[in-house]
Amino acid sequence: MNRGSRENGLRWVADPRSDSFTLTLSEGLSPYELLRSVGAEERHIVPLTRHAAYDLLLRTEEDHISDLDFLDWEDDAAVARLTSGGFLPAPPDAIVRAGSVAGWAYALEEFTCHTSTYVAALSERGRAFVVHRNAKGFSRVSYGLHGEVVSSFEPGLPHLGDGAPAEVALGFVHRGDEVGDVAFLRFLEGELGIYLPWEETEAELPAVAFTHTAGEDQIVVNS
């Protein structure tokens, strides 16, 4: 897979090798505004690479911090910053990392979908999308516009949706054998013209830890 290709500007996020992921897009917000919109306090924001976020999520509280290869455990300031932010000593339930691209803020999560209940807040200045695939391979897309959740649906399974149908709200119709979330990301590439560099998402981004994740089944769609 050529992750540097502009023809694959978002689809790489749904790499079939990924067990679970969440991609959030929020129009008109900065990365820090996005994080605040999903419950973060700015003083708890810490820059983290994707690798560091993985390590923090997969450790147990009994593991010594010296096992974290991204961290100099003798660096008291770094350990204190991670501890005060909720990344240590217990592993957080979710880590949300945020960046910006072409007038949008984006956020990435491994495994969880914390941002899903904040679609309305994330769409205060325009549009917001949350695309999630869980560990069982099921996917869910939520769409907000100007402070309201318009639609929440599983690509390719319209009978499992809430709110306006995807084809009405967005003009999206899932056709063919392509995985649902991949098909929707392909659709967004064409609609938004967004190219999200893989290398940027691997590097340090502002990140926040949460001890209680928000479930995708908690999305409230305005009727």
Side-chain angles (χ1 to χ4, degrees):
M1 178 175 53
N2 179 10
R3 283 173 167 159
S5 171
R6 289 185 178 274
E7 285 71 43
N8 195 12
L10 291 175
R11 274 168 284 156
W12 66 262
V13 178
D15 185 326
R17 290 171 294 180
S18 299
D19 292 331
S20 180
F21 72 89
T22 300
L23 170 67
T24 301
L25 294 168
S26 183
E27 191 171 22
L29 297 187
S30 71
Y32 287 89
E33 288 171 329
L34 185 155
L35 293 175
R36 288 196 297 269
S37 293
V38 300
E41 295 184 37
E42 192 152 352
R43 62 192 176 92
H44 291 156
I45 298 174
V46 175
L48 288 179
T49 65
R50 179 173 178 264
H51 173 70
Y54 247 102
D55 279 0
L56 288 163
L57 287 167
L58 294 178
R59 69 185 296 273
T60 66
E61 192 168 359
E62 291 74 30
D63 293 334
H64 194 273
I65 59 174
S66 62
D67 294 332
L68 294 167
D69 58 15
F70 74 90
L71 177 67
D72 177 0
W73 66 277
E74 295 182 325
D75 184 340
D76 294 338
V79 172
R81 189 162 55 248
L82 289 169
T83 301
S84 65
F87 298 92
L88 295 172
D93 291 323
I95 294 177
V96 182
R97 301 167 60 243
S100 62
V101 57
W104 294 72
Y106 68 85
L108 293 165
E109 295 176 61
E110 313 294 339
F111 317 124
T112 59
C113 193
H114 176 84
T115 57
S116 63
T117 56
Y118 297 92
V119 178
L122 291 167
S123 68
E124 287 291 344
R125 296 184 189 170
R127 296 164 288 177
F129 300 92
V130 177
V131 184
H132 173 64
R133 180 196 295 168
N134 68 20
K136 295 181 179 180
F138 295 107
S139 57
R140 191 80 177 176
V141 174
S142 298
Y143 166 57
L145 178 66
H146 298 312
E148 295 188 353
V149 183
V150 176
S151 182
S152 179
F153 58 92
E154 185 166 335
L157 297 173
H159 63 286
L160 297 180
D162 296 303
E167 61 269 25
V168 175
L170 295 164
F172 170 73
V173 178
H174 183 209
R175 298 186 177 93
D177 298 327
E178 196 167 37
V179 176
D181 46 47
V182 177
F184 185 75
L185 291 173
R186 182 194 297 275
F187 168 80
L188 280 187
E189 289 171 2
E191 291 294 304
L192 307 181
I194 289 179
Y195 168 66
L196 185 57
W198 172 76
E199 296 82 0
E200 177 182 308
T201 67
E202 292 287 302
E204 283 191 345
L205 292 173
V208 176
F210 295 97
T211 55
H212 298 287
T213 60
E216 57 200 313
D217 58 345
Q218 295 174 298
I219 298 167
V220 177
V221 181
N222 292 309
S223 56

